[in-house]
Amino acid sequence: MAIKNAYLKELLARVEKRNQGEPEFIQAVTEVLMTLEPVVEKRPDLVEAGVLERIVEPERQIIFRVPWVDDRGNVQVNRGFRVQFNSAIGPYKGGLRLHPSVNLSIIKFLGFEQIFKNSLTTLPMGGGKGGSDFDPKGKSDGEIMRFCQSFMTELSRHIGADCDVPAGDIGTGAREIGYMFGQYKRLRNEFTGVLTGKGLTYGGSLARTEATGFGLCYFTEEMLKANGTSFKGKTVVISGSGNVAIYAAQKATEFGAKVVTMSDSNGYIYDANGIDLACVKQIKEVERKRIKEYLVYHPEAKYAEGCKGVWTVKCDIALPCATQNEIDGESAKILVKNGCKVVSEGANMPSTPEAIEVYLENKLLYGPAKAANAGGVATSGLEMSQNSQRLSWTFEEVDEKLHGIMKSIFKACDDAAKTYGMEGNYMAGANIAGFLKVAEAMKAQGCV
Ligand code: NDP
């Protein structure tokens, strides 16, 4: 797919010129603009209001120094980021990624995607994202705490329960959120819902840990149902072995599928009998070790070095749950050749544009990240609601709300794709449905 509309082509050229050296951000913008062609033609009022020019430019981006002292007494310096992309429909909301690969391009692509994702949830949340090039791997608890405290010392000036509410992402789980929350509270002397993904003893929501993975499967099950099938009896390949991957594997198994792989950035495991999830949780959540350790408990399983190999495993459904651009065109072709009929994205932008072309050409059911993985932020929205009301809902209440939201997200994508003449293209549906709500709000609020 290439952009044909002259206005959008020119806009993309300006985005490329202004954001040189930011390939991930340009990739994310290109994908959205490509699918907005029919909207631009049908809604000249939004073009006139300059909504598109404004939506591709972050409202604010903050880059800061994060100094901390390691266990040997040496000073370390990392770089911190917070991109507050769009607040048209609510306070900025989006996770904090801690990974050595983090840079402005990655945070901007994630923040941009977050605008449309948050809009799809139906909850009042704007888009933002942040993080640091800090690598939590191999660090002691003390080092993690000192880093998180230093990071929050600066970030605290820019966020707040009614302004910007960060959450977890790669490398930021309950432990990191806890240290950051503690530091915010100490600096501000206030106990507010300034972060989500908090521990259950201090304002966290039940089912937040499970939400992205469960939500991915709820969305995928809806997509399968609409196309006359289901998870039952299917073989599923999952990449990653973090928060999203683990709970996607759990829900897919509950839905009657067999999950045969999981991976990390070193390699992947294949268990023909179906992954033993209790064992993965022990290795990843308790021991914080590498996925290779699975063979210690299950010597009959196989381990292969490298991440890409996971897409050569035969499956009916692929759920990428690790990182951006993990499925390229070549891997997508192998998936198709091996009979894969469904790709639904737990990770953000895990498929390259070439891979998406392969899915569309071969009529795969394709669940795009913005819609399919919105369950995490939706439940973060529910955590904000509970914090504001000083209430806690039960696991079942939150899970039921999450399920309802994922069903409505699928319906919104399906309906928008049909209305704009692209039936079955849920990527276009997600972009259009997510965009329209934000665009209407931006137009209503004037040129800000
Ligand atoms: P975690 O840190 O819990 O797990 C990430 C997993 O992906 C790990 O297994 C990790 O392996 C692997 N991984 C990370 N980077 C790479 C890489 N460059 N190459 C190969 N494998 C990699 O993160 P989450 O599970 O929270 O996040 C996974 C994805 O889901 C991300 O794209 C995130 O943005 C997205 N997401 C997360 C949400 C959430 O609620 N947590 C919400 C919506 C989207 P290793 O340990 O070796 O690094």
Side-chain angles (χ1 to χ4, degrees), residues 97 99 117 137 169-171 208 212 240-244 263-265 290 307 321-323 346-348 373:
R97 176 173 293 191
H99 194 273
K117 182 188 308 196
K137 272 193 217 106
D169 190 72
I170 291 178
R208 174 61 188 91
T212 309
S241 49
N243 174 263
V244 180
S263 68
D264 60 23
S265 50
R290 310 306 295 160
C307 326
C321 294
T323 195
N348 283 310
N373 75 20

Side-chain angles (χ1 to χ4, degrees), residues 231-303:
F231 265 111
K232 206 165 174 44
K234 302 291 191 303
T235 299
V236 177
V237 156
I238 292 186
S239 64
S241 49
N243 174 263
V244 180
I246 287 176
Y247 293 96
Q250 182 171 324
K251 191 50 80 179
T253 309
E254 283 172 23
F255 278 154
K258 183 163 81 170
V259 177
V260 292
T261 64
M262 292 194 92
S263 68
D264 60 23
S265 50
N266 294 106
Y268 73 94
I269 50 162
Y270 170 72
D271 190 338
N273 301 319
I275 295 286
D276 171 357
L277 209 54
C279 174
V280 173
K281 285 185 184 174
Q282 175 65 25
I283 295 165
K284 300 305 287 191
E285 294 184 336
V286 181
E287 297 169 16
R288 295 182 188 272
K289 287 190 176 155
R290 310 306 295 160
I291 198 67
K292 192 179 181 177
E293 291 289 309
Y294 188 84
L295 295 201
V296 174
Y297 302 92
H298 288 280
E300 73 286 3
K302 293 195 171 67
Y303 175 77

Side-chain angles (χ1 to χ4, degrees), residues 45-99:
D45 58 313
L46 297 177
V47 175
E48 253 167 59
V51 164
L52 282 136
E53 282 83 352
R54 288 187 281 141
I55 211 167
V56 295
E57 186 65 23
E59 288 177 16
R60 191 174 298 107
Q61 44 193 30
I62 301 141
I63 303 181
F64 51 97
R65 180 170 70 196
V66 189
W68 56 281
V69 178
D70 69 18
D71 285 346
R72 285 164 306 168
N74 296 326
V75 171
Q76 302 288 340
V77 178
N78 286 98
R79 182 171 286 179
F81 300 88
R82 186 70 185 166
V83 174
Q84 299 180 327
F85 224 114
N86 192 297
S87 62
I89 63 167
Y92 309 106
K93 181 95 197 86
L96 297 170
R97 176 173 293 191
L98 300 182
H99 194 273

Side-chain angles (χ1 to χ4, degrees), residues 86-340:
N86 192 297
S87 62
I89 63 167
Y92 309 106
K93 181 95 197 86
L96 297 170
R97 176 173 293 191
L98 300 182
H99 194 273
S101 64
V102 163
N103 57 36
L104 187 59
S105 173
I106 288 180
I107 298 299
K108 278 172 69 178
F109 112 66
L110 289 163
F112 182 70
E113 295 261 303
Q114 199 80 44
I115 304 170
F116 307 96
K117 182 188 308 196
N118 293 3
S119 162
L120 284 170
T121 66
T122 71
L123 303 174
M125 298 181 291
K129 198 82 188 188
S132 171
D133 58 2
F134 173 76
D135 186 359
K137 272 193 217 106
K139 304 288 190 301
S140 69
D141 264 0
E143 288 176 323
I144 298 276
M145 184 177 75
R146 291 193 294 280
F147 168 82
C148 289
Q149 290 178 339
S150 177
F151 182 80
M152 182 50 83
T153 300
E154 174 60 30
L155 188 68
S156 66
R157 302 168 200 266
H158 311 287
I159 62 174
D162 294 316
C163 156
D164 183 356
V165 184
D169 190 72
I170 291 178
T172 308
R175 174 180 57 170
E176 292 73 19
I177 292 288
Y179 293 146
M180 291 182 196
F181 183 78
Q183 182 73 350
Y184 183 87
K185 187 164 59 68
R186 178 163 70 165
L187 290 165
R188 292 298 189 92
N189 195 25
E190 56 181 42
F191 195 112
T192 55
V194 67
L195 291 164
T196 58
K198 299 186 290 299
L200 296 177
T201 52
Y202 61 95
S205 174
L206 284 158
R208 174 61 188 91
T209 307
E210 294 81 357
T212 309
F214 278 21
L216 169 64
C217 292
Y218 293 148
F219 178 93
T220 309
E221 186 72 353
E222 283 307 298
M223 180 168 74
L224 292 167
K225 251 197 315 196
N227 290 277
T229 180
S230 76
F231 265 111
K232 206 165 174 44
K234 302 291 191 303
T235 299
V236 177
V237 156
I238 292 186
S239 64
S241 49
N243 174 263
V244 180
I246 287 176
Y247 293 96
Q250 182 171 324
K251 191 50 80 179
T253 309
E254 283 172 23
F255 278 154
K258 183 163 81 170
V259 177
V260 292
T261 64
M262 292 194 92
S263 68
D264 60 23
S265 50
N266 294 106
Y268 73 94
I269 50 162
Y270 170 72
D271 190 338
N273 301 319
I275 295 286
D276 171 357
L277 209 54
C279 174
V280 173
K281 285 185 184 174
Q282 175 65 25
I283 295 165
K284 300 305 287 191
E285 294 184 336
V286 181
E287 297 169 16
R288 295 182 188 272
K289 287 190 176 155
R290 310 306 295 160
I291 198 67
K292 192 179 181 177
E293 291 289 309
Y294 188 84
L295 295 201
V296 174
Y297 302 92
H298 288 280
E300 73 286 3
K302 293 195 171 67
Y303 175 77
E305 287 289 335
C307 326
K308 258 186 95 173
V310 74
W311 310 120
T312 63
V313 174
K314 200 170 156 44
C315 66
D316 304 301
I317 300 173
L319 302 178
C321 294
T323 195
Q324 64 273 358
N325 292 330
E326 54 174 316
I327 307 183
D328 58 14
E330 186 195 347
S331 296
K333 282 184 192 150
I334 296 171
L335 280 169
V336 170
K337 193 170 115 244
N338 285 339
C340 176

